[in-house]
Amino acid sequence: MIAGDCLTVLREMPADLIDLIVTSPPYADSRKQTYGGIHPDRYVEWFLPIADELARVLKPEGTFILNIKEKALGGERHTYVIETILGMRKQGWLWTEEFIWHKRNCYPGKWPNRFRDAWERCLQFNKQAKFNMYQEQVMVPMGDWAKTRLANLSETDKRRDESKVKSGFGKNVSKWVGRALVYPTNVLHFATESSNRNHSAAFPFALPEWFIKLFTREGDLVLDPFLGSGTTAIAAKSLGRGYLGIDIKQEYIDLTNEALRNPRRRAHSPSGAK
Ligand SMILES: C[S@@+](CC[C@H](N)C(=O)[O-])C[C@H]1O[C@@H](n2cnc3c(N)ncnc32)[C@H](O)[C@@H]1O
């Protein structure tokens, strides 16, 4: 675990070292300085040099998962996430996928012009189209699909049905009948946990765990350049992966080192994907 500005630390690291990066950078924040919040208007120019270094340290077949959500400012959603994606594509990153983290324990609230925010983006970036992915590791029980969608198959469900919008996507729904496990969707249902953690912006262990299972094997190396309370490193260790973390605040590095030395026995996180 390394204390320091991740841009400086990353510049010292060798290229093609890391198998998976999972991180949640500080908030874009127009007011507070909490966790080094960056003003939304300066977010892209601040983040892109870091993204460039992350591309350098990531192995060609590795994956970068960026947990981020745009703030509302001046009555509308800011566009820094979209601009970050466009900027990273210009750097050579592929924007491979977008997972939605649905915060399933979100409680009610009232805002004048929108509803309570109950989801965040987990953007997937890769250096090349062919990357390591172990889909069998995150399969989920068939659940209600067996009783609903798969119980009433149409004729087209029983053969490979080519997409009507010519997307090249073909499906044969009937081949899933009788199976116990299926592949998940790209919506992840995990409850937040920050109220019982030492960092107000911690993501739940289940979040990095899910991506670590999907994109790495035992012995692979996982990096979180904005480590916070160490969620990614602790999850990586519990899954037998190597881990590396950077945080600008020494107190978070100390907190993580302590948690890694004395891991609390954690109940196995259920897969939140459906
Ligand atoms: C949103 S929090 C990460 C929370 C983490 N995912 C967890 O589960 O605890 C962002 C972290 O980035 C750190 N940080 C802010 N600017 C940084 C920088 N330039 N380099 C490294 N860490 C930084 C903050 O101290 C903070 O702990």
Side-chain angles (χ1 to χ4, degrees), residues 138-182:
V138 295
M139 289 185 93
V140 292
M142 173 68 81
D144 287 346
W145 281 332
K147 286 178 270 168
T148 56
R149 182 69 177 87
L150 296 184
N152 299 295
L153 294 182
S154 67
E155 277 313 303
T156 45
D157 286 338
K158 293 175 190 162
R159 55 181 151 80
R160 188 173 162 85
D161 181 30
E162 296 307 327
S163 159
K164 294 182 183 54
V165 291
K166 306 274 182 266
S167 67
F169 175 77
K171 63 183 189 322
N172 177 349
V173 181
S174 67
K175 75 177 187 182
W176 296 101
V177 172
R179 298 206 194 181
L181 293 174
V182 286

Side-chain angles (χ1 to χ4, degrees), residues 84-130:
T84 299
I85 295 169
L86 295 175
M88 287 178 64
R89 291 188 71 245
K90 280 196 188 136
Q91 289 177 323
W93 285 103
L94 301 178
W95 178 28
T96 319
E97 178 56 306
E98 176 172 62
F99 294 87
I100 296 299
W101 166 27
H102 164 227
K103 300 174 181 184
R104 66 165 191 229
N105 57 342
C106 194
Y107 48 85
K110 169 88 175 77
W111 280 260
N113 54 358
R114 57 176 50 82
F115 294 123
R116 185 171 178 84
D117 224 339
W119 65 276
E120 292 187 12
R121 299 170 189 268
C122 292
L123 304 171
Q124 179 189 340
F125 295 98
N126 292 92
K127 290 167 69 165
Q128 56 187 40
K130 196 167 165 1

Side-chain angles (χ1 to χ4, degrees), residues 1 12-13 17 30 32-34 70 74 101 123 128 147 153 158 165 180 196 198 204 209 216 244 252 267 269:
M1 301 300 115
E12 300 294 313
M13 282 169 53
L17 179 71
S30 52
K32 287 182 277 177
Q33 282 305 303
T34 332
E70 49 271 77
W101 166 27
L123 304 171
Q128 56 187 40
K147 286 178 270 168
L153 294 182
K158 293 175 190 162
V165 291
N196 58 4
N198 291 320
E209 263 176 6
T216 67
L244 201 54
Y252 293 134
S269 310

Side-chain angles (χ1 to χ4, degrees), residues 4-6 24-26 35 199 201-203 225-229 231 247-248 252:
D5 181 339
C6 64
S24 167
Y35 310 123
H199 195 294
F203 46 41
F226 299 99
L227 186 65
S229 58
T231 317
D247 201 284
I248 204 159
Y252 293 134

